[in-house]
Amino acid sequence: MWKILALSAGLALVSTSGAAAQPQCDQRDSVLKILQQKYKESPVALGVTHNGGLVEVLSTGNGTTWSIIVTTPQGMSCLVAAGEGWRAMEQVAADPEA
């Protein structure tokens, strides 16, 4: 939560409803720059959603902190989650018999 609050200084805050904070959004280049400068995070994993969005996991080299952003096809990125202690899992091959 501390990272989301700290990141708000560098990103435009989307309107909030009630006590729940909404994702913080800006152009992808700006979001990546802020996460790199403030937290030394860079992309470590990514995937494409069914509607063409790009989901990226960013982390420090040692996994101290991590962030997940989602980018629209138009280039707008939103921070959707952040935390500490990122650990990559060993990739296991799918069972060809399944």
Side-chain angles (χ1 to χ4, degrees):
M1 185 68 173
W2 62 268
K3 185 189 285 188
I4 292 174
L5 295 175
L7 192 59
S8 67
L11 299 176
L13 183 62
V14 177
S15 65
T16 60
S17 62
Q22 296 296 312
Q24 300 169 25
C25 304
D26 203 344
Q27 291 297 310
R28 182 176 179 271
D29 291 342
S30 296
V31 173
L32 291 176
K33 183 177 179 180
I34 290 167
L35 292 172
Q36 174 60 42
Q37 289 177 346
K38 286 190 155 211
Y39 304 104
K40 308 297 186 233
E41 293 179 356
S42 56
V44 296
L46 59 88
V48 179
T49 67
H50 70 280
N51 62 356
L54 179 67
V55 177
E56 294 177 90
V57 176
L58 296 90
S59 182
T60 57
N62 60 8
T64 303
T65 64
W66 58 267
S67 301
I68 298 176
I69 63 172
V70 177
T71 304
T72 67
Q74 295 75 31
M76 184 62 68
S77 293
C78 296
L79 177 69
V80 295
E84 299 176 0
W86 178 262
R87 299 292 179 259
M89 296 179 70
E90 181 179 333
Q91 191 170 15
V92 179
D95 182 5
E97 300 296 318

